[in-house]
């Protein structure tokens, strides 16, 4: 895949939103099994608007048991940032890709080199949850110079003044954390989700997506009452860990797609 | 190397929590407000004489000040004059009590009612559970499964004190994974819960705050040494370094003297000695990691030092050359434990036995010339390790 045009992620999501779609961004852990890039392709074919590709880290403090296990398994299978990005480069998903990792992976690679490796391998955006606003500059400078869109997270406890800054400095979309906590499946959508999305929408016209705990198509529909879209991770990775094929993951993503399209 | 102006060392970090190029606050947004709240609470408390009175008053009821004792027979044997700062004589048996009392007072000030903590050796867990009992807090302790096994006595003590102990089965199943799990709890519970971190690690303000809460070790020892040494300071001040809290508290009392500061790391977890700058658990510091940025597991006989990172201020002290960090291997640590026991009648915890091991190895060399005076922080007593050490000595 060639270097994405700068701003592809946000432009694509805005266009889809303008066309009336609710945005669906599934997640796959890079390197999780020999067929993980087929999973990525199946997600795209099933109607994903963008795809998050996890670059696993040994100590994922924001992640619950499912993504922890997925990360650990991928690392045991030899996943490295370079191998994952090389594999991504060979795929033509047709939708923007967003790398999701932790700051030490970026820091070790070198800000500029890591940003360059993303854009050079067809990845449009990056999510690095353990870089708060105060520590953002070195990465943001590198990302901007390489045309990588950095998606920032906001949490239910984030006060309004920080929320405004997060919305201003986030590119691609703004990621609202639906509930205080870590990633992982939940029985129901947290009450904080709708409030989170509403607060973000009041600050920005960038696409606002909710993530963390979106486990079923019904949750996704409920979240999209306020948000422009959702990120779905653990619910899909649990299936993959349980042995689902790329086609089966594709079907699960299609289930979310259909529910969102039906409203 | 930066300036060696020692007067500027071990003061407040920058507003971003930096010590030189290390430190900072690398956390998800969800935890930033809690760190800001903690920083504000600590600043206000630390400027408040009433807070100091209460903090020192509680410590006085729990064994402070601790003595500095002479090691006559060991000194004779090594040819250097060895003094010990006896944190092993505090209530709960280690320096960890200094930190937890301070943080418990802050927890109460912030109106929180629950604390979570990580523990390796179990000393911080026991101290945290003790403070929680004293203040009536709910208390959950995360501990790696490997450590639950090798520090069984402390697990039992924590439970007796009313804490819930949660074994952590992910990753290396030691201290680093217990910290991950404590952060995961905290991000879900932050509105009612304080994360009672045990060492000078983590996001700003923890490394600074915990050094300040531990500086009572160094402040006391400085005066005590002067009384013993006719107004002089020791030539060497030595402490073991896991995250580095007993060392930071000790060094803080001597950083502006002529004493050489020596931190002793486990050979299998020498983050300052063999690490590479990186970010884990909220701060930028020296870190054992591979070429891709994955954290490498530490390996040490001592659960309390089995950690791949180190407090950022130690990375800075090493950077500017004010302190040196040296390794001690498991075998020499066990030998040091035995030698201190048989010459002085003190059974140290495995952690401070690292500091003793370096002194034994270095005594009479250029690193610690004959005739020098050396203060070692005896950060904890060895009861918790008795069973584990028994097994190793039998086997070896
Ligand atoms: C007795 C004792 N000393 C030292 C340590 C290491 O911690 P730190 O380096 O923070 O002093 C521990 C940790 O559990 C301990 O129990």
């Amino acid at each position: 895949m060639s270097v994405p045009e700068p701003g592809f992620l946000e432009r694509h999501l805005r266009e889809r939103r303008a066309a009336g779609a609710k945005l669906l961004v599934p997640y796959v852990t890079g390197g999780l099994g020999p067929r993980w890039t087929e999973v990525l392709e199946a997600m795209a074919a099933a109607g994903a608007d963008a795809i998050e590709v996890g670059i696993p880290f040994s100590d994922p403090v924001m992640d619950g048991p499912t993504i922890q296990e997925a990360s650990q398994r991928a690392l045991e299978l030899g996943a490295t940032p370079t191998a994952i990005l090389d594999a991504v480069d060979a795929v033509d998903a047709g939708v923007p890709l967003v790398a999701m990792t932790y700051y030490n992976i970026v820091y070790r690679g070198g800000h500029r080199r890591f940003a360059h490796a993303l854009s050079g391998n067809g990845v449009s955006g990056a999510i690095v949850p353990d870089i708060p606003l105060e520590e953002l500059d070195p990465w943001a400078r590198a990302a901007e110079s390489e045309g990588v869109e950095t998606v920032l997270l906001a949490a239910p406890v984030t006060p309004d003044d920080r929320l405004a800054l997060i919305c201003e400095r986030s590119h691609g979309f703004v990621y609202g954390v639906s509930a205080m906590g870590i990633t992982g499946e939940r029985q129901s959508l947290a009450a904080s989700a709708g409030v989170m999305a509403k607060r973000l929408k009041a600050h920005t016209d960038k696409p606002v997506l909710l993530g963390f705990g979106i486990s079923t198509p019904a949750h996704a529909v409920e979240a999209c009452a306020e948000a422009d879209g959702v990120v779905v991770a653990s619910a899909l990775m649990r299936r993959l860990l349980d042995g689902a094929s790329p086609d089966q993951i594709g079907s699960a993503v299609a289930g979310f797609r259909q529910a969102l399209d039906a409203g | 190397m930066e300036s060696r102006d020692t007067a500027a060392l071990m003061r407040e970090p920058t507003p971003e929590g930096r010590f030189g190029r290390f430190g900072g606050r690398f956390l998800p947004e969800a935890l930033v407000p809690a760190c800001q709240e903690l920083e504000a609470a600590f600043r206000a408390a630390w400027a408040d004489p009433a807070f100091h009175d209460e903090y020192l008053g509680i410590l006085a009821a729990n064994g402070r000040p601790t003595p500095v004792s002479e090691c006559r027979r060991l000194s004779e044997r090594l040819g250097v004059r060895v003094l010990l700062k006896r944190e092993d004589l505090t209530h709960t048996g280690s320096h960890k009590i200094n930190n937890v009392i301070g943080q418990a007072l802050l927890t109460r000030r912030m109106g929180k009612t629950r604390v979570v903590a990580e523990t390796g050796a179990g000393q911080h867990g026991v101290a945290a559970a003790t403070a929680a009992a004293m203040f009536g807090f709910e208390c959950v302790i995360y501990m790696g499964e490997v450590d639950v096994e090798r520090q069984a006595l402390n697990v039992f003590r924590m439970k007796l004190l009313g804490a819930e102990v949660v074994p952590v089965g992910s990753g290396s199943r030691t201290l680093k994974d217990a910290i991950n799990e404590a952060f995961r709890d905290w991000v879900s519970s932050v509105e009612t819960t304080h994360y009672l971190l045990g060492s000078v690690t983590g996001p700003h303000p923890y490394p600074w705050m915990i050094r300040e809460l531990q500086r009572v070790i160094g402040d006391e020892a400085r005066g005590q040494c002067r009384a013993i040494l006719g107004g002089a300071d020791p030539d060497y001040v030595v402490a073991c370094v896991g995250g580095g809290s007993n060392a930071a508290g000790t060094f803080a009392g001597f950083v502006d003297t002529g004493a050489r500061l020596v931190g002793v790391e486990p050979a299998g977890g020498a983050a300052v000695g063999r690490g590479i700058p990186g970010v884990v658990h909220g701060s930028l510091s020296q870190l054992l990691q591979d070429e891709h940025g994955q954290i490498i597991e530490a390996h040490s006989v001592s659960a309390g030092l089995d950690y791949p990172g180190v407090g950022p201020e130690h990375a800075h002290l090493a950077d500017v050359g004010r302190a040196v960090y040296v390794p001690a291997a498991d075998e020499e640590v066990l030998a040091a434990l035995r030698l201190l026991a048989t010459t002085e009648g003190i059974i140290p915890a495995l952690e401070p036995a690292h500091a003793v091991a370096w002194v034994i190895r270095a005594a009479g060399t250029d690193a610690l010339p004959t005739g020098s005076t050396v203060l070692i922080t005896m950060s904890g007593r060895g009861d918790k390790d008795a069973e584990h050490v028994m097994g190793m000595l039998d086997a070896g």
Side-chain angles (χ1 to χ4, degrees), chain B residues 51-111:
Chain B
F51 180 88
H52 285 266
D53 285 349
E54 188 170 14
Y55 165 67
L56 291 174
I58 296 173
L59 289 183
N62 287 278
R64 299 218 77 87
T66 59
V68 166
S69 44
E70 290 258 13
C71 292
R72 293 187 203 286
R73 296 187 61 220
L74 184 66
S75 299
E76 209 166 287
R77 186 154 169 156
L78 298 179
V80 295
R81 185 170 178 187
V82 180
L83 303 174
L84 296 183
K85 176 61 175 166
R86 300 294 303 277
E87 295 302 296
D88 58 321
L89 297 180
T90 58
H91 180 46
T92 73
S94 85
H95 69 293
K96 301 286 183 187
I97 193 78
N98 307 326
N99 172 38
V100 298
I101 295 300
Q103 288 197 52
L105 286 167
L106 291 172
T107 304
R108 198 181 62 191
R109 266 189 175 228
M110 293 186 291

Side-chain angles (χ1 to χ4, degrees), chain B residues 67 76 86 95 103 118 136 165 196 206 251 256 273 322 358:
Chain B
E76 209 166 287
R86 300 294 303 277
H95 69 293
Q103 288 197 52
E118 82 295 344
V165 180
L196 213 168
Y206 283 99
F251 292 175
D256 60 345
R322 180 61 190 96
W358 179 79

Side-chain angles (χ1 to χ4, degrees), chain A residues 46-63:
Chain A
D49 296 303
I51 299 169
E52 257 189 55
V53 177
I55 300 180
F57 177 50
S58 53
D59 293 83
V61 289
M62 280 297 280
D63 287 302

Side-chain angles (χ1 to χ4, degrees), chain A residues 148-163:
Chain A
V148 173
E149 300 167 80
T150 300
V151 177
L152 300 184
L153 284 79
V157 293
T158 305
D160 278 325
D161 54 338
R162 286 184 81 84
L163 217 57

Side-chain angles (χ1 to χ4, degrees), chain B residues 94-96 121-124 198-200 240-247 304-305 349 351-352 379-380 384:
Chain B
S94 85
H95 69 293
K96 301 286 183 187
Q123 286 305 107
H124 175 57
S199 193
V200 286
C240 67
V241 176
S245 67
N246 86 89
L305 305 183
E351 292 80 16
S379 58
K384 70 179 174 64

Side-chain angles (χ1 to χ4, degrees), chain B residues 303-347:
Chain B
L305 305 183
D306 217 343
Y307 183 60
V310 67
E313 192 166 30
H314 287 293
H316 178 55
L317 290 172
D319 238 16
V320 299
R322 180 61 190 96
V324 296
Y325 296 83
V326 295
D330 287 353
E331 316 78 64
E332 53 182 344
V333 168
L334 283 172
L337 182 149
R338 288 182 111 161
L339 187 62
L340 191 69
T342 52
T343 56
E344 299 296 334
I346 295 169
I347 300 174

